Amino acid sequence: MTLCHSHHRYFTENPLAFAGWLEITLGAGHLELLTEKMRGRLKMTQPVRNEIAKHYREEVRKKEQNPDYVIVSYN
């Protein structure tokens, strides 16, 4: 999550507020998926890296074409 300096500092000092903000911003389901991913391990091979890079290049291209497009994270 990218934040400005003041929000980064605030949420660093208030982790419960950050968790609440994430749940409101991303939704409970998305936050649960991120938590599962955080606790898991993904063996990173070059083909997997290439696939992830391709995914995000396509997502950025969609965002550039349509500023209202919401970038979808790699699953």
Side-chain angles (χ1 to χ4, degrees), residues 16-55:
L16 293 177
F18 182 60
W21 179 79
L22 279 176
E23 187 169 347
I24 291 168
T25 303
L26 300 176
H30 191 122
L31 191 55
E32 186 176 327
L33 286 173
L34 290 175
T35 302
E36 287 177 20
K37 287 181 181 183
M38 174 190 71
R39 292 185 179 141
R41 290 184 181 206
L42 174 64
K43 184 174 180 178
M44 194 58 61
T45 62
Q46 193 58 47
V48 172
R49 286 185 185 138
N50 292 342
E51 183 180 333
I52 292 170
K54 179 182 176 187
H55 169 79

